[in-house]
């Protein structure tokens, strides 16, 4: 009847991968509003600095004294100014040497990380037989393998202190799959499997001070899967998620130590049905929803954009 109380992350070091845009940028702003110290990683230095500028603006707004009423005597309390900073690092999380060296810099320049948000992700947008091997490898490295490197870099201190929080931003396509994005689905299934196995390991080690949250959103309107379409009759009931809504739901799950969050809630039902129904029944359900070929328009757009770019450059 009473919702769980959100924990405080004020003053704690929060590291977000893929912070240069999309959900990573929104996560950074949400943690900044809660007075966390931000460490932003992205392969794009310019977009990463843009996110940092937004975070600094939030910090400046928090630093302005704002009177708050105090219950009891009716007097007003002034919130002390916060001395918070944001740190940016250019890092390719697909390269473990880059992750480990950047992590060492973070420990020396900022301190130990308390909240690790593994958010960085890429998509190739090609059918399997048309997808270059290099793109398949990159999808697996960024979306899955990078979680191993970042966790290995920061988990030891969390274990020593028995304190921390690891967030895995996966996808609903890490719980059930669709046609045409085999590499993406495989990478997200791998991230989910890694997260769940690590959760069990921490439970077995009785490290109850280290929390884990798995974030599995439905299609988010960030442009990553622009063109993806389900059946038009179903679309009004299952539209792409607004990024702000997705991140706010995920933040509430993180701050209440919720082990897993699927948005919208219908994703829980789809996952459950996939677990209990025969494969052919799942295929029928996908066809009814229009989810069996929902990625085909997206792939066609990516292919056209690639061809136009090649023609423009005379390739």
């Amino acid at each position: 009847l009473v919702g769980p109380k959100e924990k405080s992350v004020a003053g704690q070091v929060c590291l977000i991968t893929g912070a240069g845009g999309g959900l990573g940028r929104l996560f950074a702003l949400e943690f900044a509003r809660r007075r966390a110290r931000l460490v932003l990683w992205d392969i794009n230095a310019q977009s990463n600095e843009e996110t940092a500028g937004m975070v600094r603006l939030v910090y400046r707004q928090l630093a302005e004294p704002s009177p708050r009423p105090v219950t009891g005597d009716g007097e007003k309390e002034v919130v002390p100014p916060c001395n918070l900073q944001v740190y940016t690092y250019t890092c390719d999380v697909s390269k473990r040497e880059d992750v480990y060296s950047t992590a060492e810099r973070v420990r020396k320049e900022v301190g130990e990380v308390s909240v690790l948000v593994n958010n960085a992700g890429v998509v190739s947008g090609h059918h399997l037989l048309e997808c270059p091997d290099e793109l398949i490898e990159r999808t697996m490295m960024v979306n899955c393998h990078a979680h191993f490197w970042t966790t290995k870099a920061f988990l030891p201190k969390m274990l020593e202190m028995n304190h921390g929080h690891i967030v895995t931003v996966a996808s609903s396509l890490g719980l059930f799959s669709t046609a045409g994005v085999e590499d993406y689905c495989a990478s997200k299934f791998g991230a989910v499997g890694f997260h769940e196995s690590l959760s069990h390991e921490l439970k077995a080690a009785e490290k109850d001070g280290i929390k884990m949250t798995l974030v599995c959103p439905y299609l988010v309107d960030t442009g990553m899967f622009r063109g993806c379409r389900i059946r038009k009759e179903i679309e009004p009931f299952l539209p792409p998620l607004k990024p702000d809504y997705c991140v706010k739901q995920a933040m509430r799950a993180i701050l209440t130590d919720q082990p897993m969050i699927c948005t919208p809630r219908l994703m829980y039902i789809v996952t459950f049905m996939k677990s209990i129904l025969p494969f052919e029944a799942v295929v029928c359900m996908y066809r009814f929803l229009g989810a069996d070929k929902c990625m085909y328009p997206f792939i066609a757009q990516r292919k056209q954009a690639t061809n136009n770019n090649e023609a423009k450059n005379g390739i």
Side-chain angles (χ1 to χ4, degrees):
L1 297 178
V2 180
K5 183 179 179 182
E6 293 187 356
K7 66 182 180 183
S8 172
V9 291
Q12 297 187 36
V13 177
C14 172
L15 189 150
I16 303 172
T17 65
L23 298 185
R25 174 171 291 177
L26 295 176
F27 272 117
L29 296 176
E30 287 293 330
F31 276 104
R33 293 184 184 107
R34 290 162 175 81
R35 299 173 181 266
R37 298 169 62 200
L38 270 298
V39 177
L40 309 180
W41 284 14
D42 201 279
I43 195 171
N44 188 322
Q46 181 178 348
S47 60
N48 207 26
E49 286 297 334
E50 290 174 0
T51 302
M54 297 177 184
V55 169
R56 292 186 184 102
L57 178 60
V58 172
Y59 284 162
R60 285 196 294 270
Q61 292 171 347
L62 291 174
E64 296 175 1
S66 56
R68 288 183 181 177
V70 180
T71 57
D73 54 12
E75 294 183 359
K76 300 205 173 194
E77 174 189 42
V78 176
V79 179
C82 57
N83 184 22
L84 297 172
Q85 289 181 291
V86 56
Y87 304 83
T88 58
Y89 296 86
T90 303
C91 178
D92 184 352
V93 294
S94 69
K95 300 176 180 178
R96 63 177 184 272
E97 298 84 0
D98 200 3
V99 171
Y100 292 150
S101 61
T102 309
E104 186 60 31
R105 287 180 56 200
V106 170
R107 278 191 288 268
K108 291 180 179 178
E109 299 171 9
V110 186
E112 295 296 337
V113 171
S114 298
V115 182
L116 172 62
V117 182
N118 282 313
N119 166 77
V122 295
V123 61
S124 63
H126 296 280
H127 291 285
L128 176 62
L129 298 182
E130 298 175 357
C131 188
D133 294 347
E134 295 78 12
L135 289 184
I136 294 175
E137 289 177 343
R138 178 152 184 79
T139 299
M140 295 300 298
M141 295 296 287
V142 174
N143 295 359
C144 181
H145 295 178
H147 295 221
F148 288 79
W149 319 142
T150 57
T151 303
K152 288 186 71 175
F154 298 110
L155 181 59
K157 192 63 178 182
M158 292 184 184
L159 290 171
E160 181 183 331
M161 304 296 294
N162 191 24
H163 174 75
H165 201 132
I166 298 175
V167 180
T168 300
V169 181
S171 168
S172 58
L173 291 180
L175 302 173
F176 52 85
S177 57
T178 188
V181 283
E182 290 83 358
D183 55 340
Y184 185 82
C185 289
S187 67
K188 291 301 184 180
F189 266 80
V192 170
F194 166 75
H195 179 97
E196 291 183 352
S197 180
L198 180 60
S199 298
H200 287 302
E201 182 172 335
L202 294 174
K203 292 289 185 184
E206 297 183 353
K207 295 294 183 178
D208 55 349
I210 304 175
K211 307 300 181 182
M212 302 277 293
T213 299
L214 176 63
V215 180
C216 292
Y218 171 63
L219 181 66
V220 184
D221 189 16
T222 59
M224 189 174 187
F225 287 103
R226 182 175 288 112
C228 175
R229 299 290 299 274
I230 60 175
R231 177 176 286 186
K232 63 181 180 180
E233 293 85 0
I234 304 294
E235 275 188 334
F237 304 99
L238 198 59
L241 299 175
K242 296 297 182 184
D244 286 338
Y245 170 79
C246 177
V247 170
K248 287 184 184 299
Q249 292 294 309
M251 284 298 299
R252 188 175 188 282
I254 294 167
L255 297 176
T256 56
D257 295 331
Q258 187 173 326
M260 178 180 179
I261 174 72
C262 289
T263 48
R265 291 183 180 274
L266 179 62
M267 293 301 103
Y268 291 111
I269 300 175
V270 176
T271 304
F272 176 71
M273 297 297 285
K274 174 181 176 288
S275 301
I276 64 173
L277 292 177
F279 179 74
E280 290 303 326
V282 173
V283 171
C284 291
M285 178 177 68
Y286 276 29
R287 287 175 177 169
F288 172 75
L289 295 173
D292 56 332
K293 298 179 180 179
C294 64
M295 289 294 172
Y296 283 21
F298 155 71
I299 294 173
Q301 285 190 13
R302 290 291 287 260
K303 186 174 183 179
Q304 183 178 2
T306 301
N307 291 339
N308 290 342
N309 188 57
E310 289 178 351
K312 180 180 177 182
N313 291 285
I315 299 176

